[in-house]
Amino acid sequence: GEREGDLARVLQRGAEHQRALRHAMVVETLRVAGLPDAADAVGETVAGPDLAYRQRISLHVDPEDGRTGFYRRRSHTLLTVDRCPVTRPALEAELADTPVLGSLAPAESADLALEEGENGIFAVLRLSHPLPAARLRAVVALLEARFAGGSVRCPGRAPIVFGETQVLRTVDAVPTRCAPGGFAQANPAVNDLLIAHVREAAAGARTACDLYAGAGNFAFPLAAAGIATVAVESDADLAASGRAEAARRG
């Protein structure tokens, strides 16, 4: 009912409406951050395909029964969903078949990030509290049987990694690997536009520093353009992915 009506209204209004919403979100974020001049300077919002573009989604998990879904707008009411037209088809299919994880007590909250790579669908479960050992093993086994790889993370314990350890994607026409759960642009078409913009803005530069570099989304294209680039990243898994990718590229 309500969900289908909201979705239909967004789809009927089309890409221009989506771009206007995104533009308003950027402007509001900058103003809340106390940067009114930057907000006023926001230009045209770029966009890729209208639908079936997202390669990553984040689901909330009900810790009592393990159901997954999205929060209703401006609330913490969990809505189970079986479709999301802005996601890629293989990832959207997971919404209708995401495993119910069962009780996650004593965790008070949990999130499940799903991301699509060229080598499969990956899952990263983040828990607010550690689970008893036997229950944790059962959850890991459930995820491992369903997804190509990923991890379970909770405070006070090292991440439990299962399956393949790297998500494979083509970034700027180059196969690139990144640890599951690490930051990556959800829209690959827009990411290519961002990379092209950054490369154009850096034309003529001799050196560059990529802060919050992730696994090197901007750093590698800049280096390939002949610019000596330093990538700075605090997340250990992403930094390791970046170093490994640099070694592969020579």
Side-chain angles (χ1 to χ4, degrees), residues 32-219:
V32 169
L35 300 169
D37 292 340
D40 292 338
V42 174
E44 180 183 358
T45 303
V46 299
D50 297 346
L51 298 173
Y53 61 82
R54 284 193 69 91
Q55 60 186 5
R56 185 184 70 247
I57 54 175
S58 295
L59 302 170
H60 298 292
V61 185
D62 186 327
E64 293 185 3
D65 60 18
R67 291 179 302 113
T68 59
F70 299 119
Y71 283 154
R72 186 187 298 275
R73 187 181 182 190
R74 296 177 180 172
S75 81
H76 284 83
T77 301
L78 189 72
L79 299 174
T80 57
V81 294
D82 58 10
R83 68 190 191 106
C84 182
V86 297
T87 62
R88 291 186 171 189
L91 194 56
E92 185 182 25
E94 292 296 334
L95 289 174
D97 201 25
T98 301
V100 176
L101 301 177
S103 173
L104 298 176
E108 297 175 355
S109 63
D111 296 289
L112 180 66
L114 302 180
E115 54 187 308
E116 179 184 353
E118 295 169 23
N119 51 341
I121 305 294
F122 291 74
V124 175
L125 176 65
R126 299 181 185 275
L127 302 165
S128 64
H129 294 77
L131 302 183
R135 185 73 190 101
L136 184 58
R137 287 194 298 271
V139 170
V140 172
L142 188 63
L143 294 174
E144 187 171 17
R146 186 77 185 94
F147 299 104
S151 62
V152 176
R153 298 166 179 265
C154 53
R157 291 188 179 180
I160 299 175
V161 179
F162 59 87
E164 296 193 40
T165 61
Q166 299 289 303
V167 182
L168 176 63
R169 296 191 184 94
T170 297
V171 178
D172 198 36
V174 178
T176 303
R177 295 161 183 81
C178 177
F183 176 76
Q185 293 291 337
N187 186 329
V190 169
N191 190 45
D192 286 344
L193 293 174
L194 288 171
I195 290 172
H197 178 76
V198 169
R199 188 162 38 215
E200 180 182 354
R206 295 166 56 189
T207 61
C209 185
D210 183 7
L211 303 179
Y212 304 98
N217 187 61
F218 295 122

